[in-house]
Structure formats: C-alpha cells, structure tokens
Amino acid sequence: MDLASDVYVGIRELLEAHGRPAREVYLDSENSGMIFPEALKAMVDAYEDHFAGHPSITHRRGWESYEALYKTSSTIAKFINCEPDELAFTHSGTEANNLAILGLNKESERKKIIVSAIEHLSVIFPAEQLEKQGYRVIKVPVDREGFVNLEFLINNVDKDTLLVSVGAVNHEIGTIQDLRAIVESVKDKDENIIFHTDACDALGRISLDVKKLNVDMASFSSHKVCGPKGAGALYIRDGVKIEPIIHGQLSTQKLWPGLENVPAIAGFGKAVELFASNFDLYVNHMKELRDLLIQGILSNVEHTLLNGPLGNKRSPDNVNVSVLYCEGEALTVDLSLNGIYVSSGSACTSRILQPSHVLLAIGREFHEAHGSILMKVAPLHSHEDVRYVVENVPRVVQRLRSISPLKPKEVG
C-alpha cells in the first residue's frame, strides 16, 4: 500500500468535497500568514529579475543577491535599532529560537535555563533538549492573563543561570509582557545572564527597540509580518557568544550555513519596510478589528471565554476564545466550510490532540482549552471581513452544540 499516494488522494477528495466558499477570511496568521502584495512582488522579482545568484559567490548575480540580503538586514536593523551585522538569517522563527538556545556557549559553567511556561514550543523543546545534556530547566508560571510571575523568576535567577527566555508577546493569547522591567530585574541580579526574547509576535505589533530593552537575542519570523514563508532572523547583540547548531558550507551567514532563501528574505524586508512606514496606522487598524471581533463573538455566543488580557495589554492582532461545549477541531472544520480559516489552540499541539500548554498554564480546564479557537487579524483585513466572521460564528457554534453530547440541558 502506498500511504503517501493514499493520503494525497484523500486530501484531493476532501478538497473537492469542501469546495471553494464564495467568501473567504483567513485568520490563521499564527501558522501561515497572509502576504502583502508588495512583499510578494519583491519575492517574485527576486526570482525573476535580480537575485538568482548565490550571495557568497563573486559574480554579478551573486553580488545582486548579497545586496538584497544586506538591504533586508538594514531595514530590520533600523526598525528594531540594531546593527545589520547583528542579525543572522534563518528560514523561520522556529529555527531562530533553536539557534538562540541550542547555540549557547557549551563551555560555560552555568547550567540553568529559565523560560516562561507559555513560551512557543520552539523555545521549550530546545530547552528540554539541553535538559537531557545536564542543564536544569526552570519554567516560570504565569497568571490567568499570561503575565510572568516576576517574583518567581527573580527568585530562581542565580550564579548558575546561563539564559532567560521570555517572549515579548505571547503567540497564542497575545499577552504583552513588561519586557523592559523583566530584563532589568534579571540584569540587576546578574548582568552576565543572556536574555533572549521570542519577538516573532511582537514585530510590527509593539514598539521594539532591542537596545532600550537591553535584550541579548531576539527572534523574528517573516510570515508574522505579512512577509513570505521561509525567512526568519535572530538578533544577536555584538559580544554574545553563539555557536552554529547545523554545519555545512558557509555562505554569508556564519551561524546558519547553506544557501540563503534570498527571494523570501527580500519579501521579508519589504514587509518590514511597510510595517515601519505605517506602524501607527496598522496597529490602530488591527486593534479596531480585534476589538470588533472579540465583542462580536462574546456578545453573540453564550458560554464563551476570552483567553488573555484586554486592551493595551493584548497584542493588537490577537483573538483567542474558548467556546464551551464545542471541540476546537470541529470548529475549525465547520468554519472552514464557511470560508473562515482559524486554528484551534496551537497548531503544534492540535495535531496530537493535546490541549494547548499555554491555555493550561493560565488555568484553563482541559475542556476549555480543547474548545479554543485562535484568530489573528492583519493590516490586510477589512471591517467587512470581521462582520462576516461575527455573522457566521454563532450559527456554526449553534449547529455544533446541537449535536454535542457534552452540552448541559440549558444550552441549545
């Protein structure tokens, strides 16, 4: 039996049965985002016109590719206030997080890693890999809105601590940490501790100045800023010692060997350029859509819980709601049939049908976490998109609850 072939046929049949809805609203930017037309054009131009060459090879096409890389480095560096050579390109935010943690100086006598309990799995899993090598990993608890317990964190910082990693903005529930206060508290206790932040969900959402924040490393992802998939970056403050975690022929990136995805990096640069030029406009637009979506769902669907904080403590793009007496996976399928694309919990955990570790960490019960849907708005969304979602979610929830064996009698 050819399993791969069988899966392909099954997917094709599924797609044909699903059909193409008359209207589609893509809200799953957590897992694979929409792309600015300008960023797509920059990527296509890179393939078609300019950047076919290898950026480390000494001929015209190679120099053109190198120029494209440097241009994106300069754009990102200006946006986050660092030097272009303090950025290392990877192919995703996951790779950037892995490089930051697994690339730590193994010669150090310090053997303690501290991460928050709600970090992305691309932070937690590498930390747990180091645990197998003799490191001690401490997970810092959070409150019911996802804010780090600073007292617990500081009490666990000591002379054995090598790294602290706290995401600036949580990827699932949108909690905006007071990162400056957290970094100051850690550095006040020991300035030699390396501080890393997963900033994939912070770039373009909050003001981000790595110098003022005094972080040593920060991870970024192209698709989180409406750029193409296949590009990420790690900021590494000059002087911080990091070693490569994969090995091969070097190109321009000393910490990430192999051929760079130059077209995706060119698109990444264009997306960041757009966010930098329109920061207030984009943030205010996303906040407005976010609040309309939250209010529309919570006021029209009974037995719902908002996960994460409200207002300015929440990322402008993030909506995460637990719909009680519904399975999150069923919600994603039924909403998909209506052209509304969302994720349930986090994609990393939903494939193995485990509730989100983030939602459990903020105190949600298993059934509350299982019934969660995550939506992210982007500058590309319109008010009409949000109205369409708000009109359709109640009907989908009502249908699923009508066939749910878990619903109490008072729920129709």
Side-chain angles (χ1 to χ4, degrees):
M1 182 172 61
D2 186 344
L3 289 176
S5 176
D6 288 347
V7 169
Y8 171 77
V9 171
I11 292 174
R12 177 43 46 195
E13 290 175 346
L14 177 63
L15 288 169
E16 290 174 355
H18 186 291
R20 190 71 177 261
R23 185 183 182 98
E24 296 180 295
V25 182
Y26 191 88
L27 295 170
D28 190 16
S29 297
E30 166 59 17
N31 297 303
S32 179
M34 303 165 74
I35 184 169
F36 285 126
E38 297 92 337
L40 177 61
K41 183 177 184 306
M43 185 175 69
V44 173
D45 286 349
Y47 271 119
E48 291 184 343
D49 301 330
H50 307 300
F51 313 127
H54 193 299
S56 67
I57 302 299
T58 53
H59 53 52
R60 178 181 173 82
R61 294 305 188 187
W63 297 328
E64 288 173 343
S65 289
Y66 184 79
E67 183 181 45
L69 286 179
Y70 188 78
K71 184 178 179 183
T72 294
S73 293
S74 299
T75 300
I76 297 173
K78 184 178 180 182
F79 195 34
I80 66 171
N81 190 25
C82 71
E83 299 300 322
D85 59 6
E86 290 180 305
L87 290 168
F89 286 114
T90 62
H91 296 94
S92 67
T94 289
E95 291 181 358
N97 283 335
N98 271 261
L99 176 59
I101 294 168
L102 296 178
L104 289 169
N105 179 16
K106 301 298 190 298
E107 296 176 358
S108 173
E109 294 181 354
R110 297 174 180 236
K111 299 296 180 186
K112 181 189 282 189
I113 309 290
I114 301 178
V115 302
S116 89
I118 59 171
E119 291 303 302
H120 194 276
L121 292 177
S122 61
V123 170
I124 289 178
F125 285 173
E128 291 176 347
Q129 284 299 311
L130 290 181
E131 198 168 29
K132 296 175 183 175
Q133 299 174 25
Y135 288 77
R136 186 181 176 204
V137 175
I138 304 293
K139 294 178 182 173
V140 183
V142 297
D143 66 17
R144 296 188 71 83
E145 292 187 327
F147 292 103
V148 164
N149 184 328
L150 187 56
E151 182 179 1
F152 179 97
L153 168 58
I154 297 307
N155 286 341
N156 278 277
V157 168
D158 56 27
K159 61 182 180 181
D160 193 40
T161 304
L162 175 60
L163 173 98
V164 174
S165 181
V166 176
V169 173
N170 184 261
H171 59 292
E172 282 194 46
I173 58 174
T175 307
I176 300 174
Q177 304 289 348
D178 187 352
L179 198 62
R180 190 168 184 175
I182 295 172
V183 177
E184 281 182 1
S185 298
V186 171
K187 295 285 187 178
D188 282 349
K189 196 158 183 179
D190 186 341
E191 63 180 5
N192 294 315
I193 292 172
I194 299 172
F195 199 104
H196 165 257
T197 184
D198 177 358
C200 292
D201 285 84
L203 191 67
R205 277 73 174 170
I206 62 172
S207 179
L208 203 59
D209 183 323
V210 293
K211 300 298 184 190
K212 287 183 179 177
L213 287 171
N214 198 23
V215 295
D216 299 299
M217 295 189 286
S219 303
F220 304 101
S221 172
S222 172
H223 87 257
K224 292 289 182 80
V225 287
C226 301
K229 290 177 283 187
L234 179 65
Y235 157 73
I236 307 157
R237 181 178 57 77
D238 185 31
V240 173
K241 189 175 181 181
I242 290 290
E243 298 293 332
I245 59 172
I246 62 171
H247 301 278
Q249 182 171 327
L250 287 178
S251 182
T252 64
Q253 308 299 300
K254 295 179 181 177
L255 291 171
W256 207 257
L259 176 60
E260 298 86 347
N261 188 349
V262 177
I265 290 171
F268 185 12
K270 175 55 72 173
V272 171
E273 180 184 316
L274 290 169
F275 263 99
S277 301
N278 303 283
F279 182 77
D280 290 337
L281 177 68
Y282 286 175
V283 167
N284 289 333
H285 180 65
M286 289 189 290
K287 280 182 178 177
E288 190 174 339
L289 297 185
R290 173 201 67 186
D291 292 343
L292 286 172
L293 194 50
I294 290 174
Q295 185 179 8
I297 292 176
L298 296 186
S299 61
N300 289 297
V301 183
E302 292 183 326
H303 309 291
T304 48
L305 303 168
L306 179 68
N307 297 310
L310 280 167
N312 290 331
K313 293 182 178 180
R314 187 184 194 95
S315 179
D317 65 333
N318 182 286
V319 178
N320 189 320
V321 176
S322 286
V323 182
L324 305 185
Y325 318 121
C326 283
E327 287 289 338
E329 296 298 317
L331 281 166
T332 63
V333 173
D334 254 45
L335 289 171
S336 177
L337 290 169
N338 289 274
I340 301 167
Y341 307 120
V342 306
S343 60
S344 173
S346 68
C348 304
T349 49
S350 64
R351 291 195 184 95
I352 54 175
L353 296 178
Q354 293 293 320
S356 157
H357 70 285
V358 175
L359 298 184
L360 295 183
I362 65 171
R364 292 296 187 217
E365 300 292 336
F366 269 53
H367 71 281
E368 295 170 340
H370 269 307
S372 70
I373 52 175
L374 172 59
M375 297 165 277
K376 291 190 175 180
V377 295
L380 293 163
H381 287 117
S382 66
H383 287 75
E384 289 73 23
D385 290 330
V386 170
R387 278 195 285 271
Y388 178 75
V389 176
V390 171
E391 287 170 4
N392 279 276
V393 167
R395 181 173 54 79
V396 167
V397 171
Q398 184 178 25
R399 193 194 81 77
L400 290 174
R401 282 177 175 166
S402 71
I403 58 175
S404 171
L406 302 175
K407 65 177 181 179
K409 291 180 180 178
E410 65 271 19
V411 177

